[in-house]
Amino acid sequence: MNSTIRLLADNTLKHLLSLRQNQLTEWDGIDLSDLSHFLVIQPGDTAAEAEHELGWSLLQNMVDGACYGQPDFTPSWEWIEAHDGWYEFVFIISDDGFGINVFVENHPDTDSDLLAMCREYTKA
């Protein structure tokens, strides 16, 4: 993770990833990979590629199958937050607290459905 963070050009993303890394590893003996995985979605990346990586669609509720844009859709994430140029949301996917942290760049060339969903739910 440290090597990846050093290579990043975007200072906001560097800060966010460093912050989450520090928060998740503040206890001795905890390996970050046992607590969380991180997915960064940037311009040119698609929701379909994210689905392939994760094994589920970010645009579909994991419980009831409702898709983004349907009137009864509710995202499956635990929370979402807007940062300077980025959206961050977290899925807790197991009873032991393991989660997936997703960062979506707020950029015109980022997947339009993902951006629309992030914008809509950070306004709520």
Side-chain angles (χ1 to χ4, degrees):
M1 180 80 162
N2 289 328
S3 299
T4 299
I5 291 170
R6 279 193 296 275
L7 293 173
L8 293 171
D10 186 289
N11 287 329
T12 301
L13 184 58
K14 274 185 178 185
H15 171 75
L16 290 169
L17 289 174
S18 295
L19 179 64
R20 297 300 173 244
Q21 178 186 27
N22 290 336
Q23 289 170 330
L24 291 168
T25 59
E26 66 183 42
W27 300 279
D28 289 335
I30 301 288
D31 187 84
L32 183 61
S33 65
D34 292 334
L35 294 174
S36 187
H37 288 173
F38 296 83
L39 178 65
V40 176
I41 300 171
Q42 295 178 296
D45 296 337
T46 67
E49 290 169 329
E51 180 176 354
H52 177 75
E53 186 69 28
L54 294 169
W56 77 84
S57 173
L58 297 173
L59 300 170
Q60 185 174 13
N61 183 284
M62 286 190 249
V63 176
D64 65 17
C67 294
Y68 176 68
Q70 294 177 333
D72 56 345
F73 174 76
T74 302
S76 296
W77 57 55
E78 300 298 319
W79 55 265
I80 185 170
E81 189 172 337
H83 303 283
D84 183 28
W86 291 88
Y87 295 99
E88 175 187 15
F89 46 93
V90 174
F91 297 92
I92 304 299
I93 57 173
S94 68
D95 289 340
D96 66 359
F98 182 83
I100 305 290
N101 292 62
V102 180
F103 298 87
V104 177
E105 188 170 5
N106 186 0
H107 185 280
D109 294 329
T110 299
D111 186 283
S112 60
D113 289 333
L114 283 176
L115 279 182
M117 181 178 66
C118 290
R119 288 178 181 140
E120 180 177 338
Y121 287 93
T122 54
K123 291 179 184 176

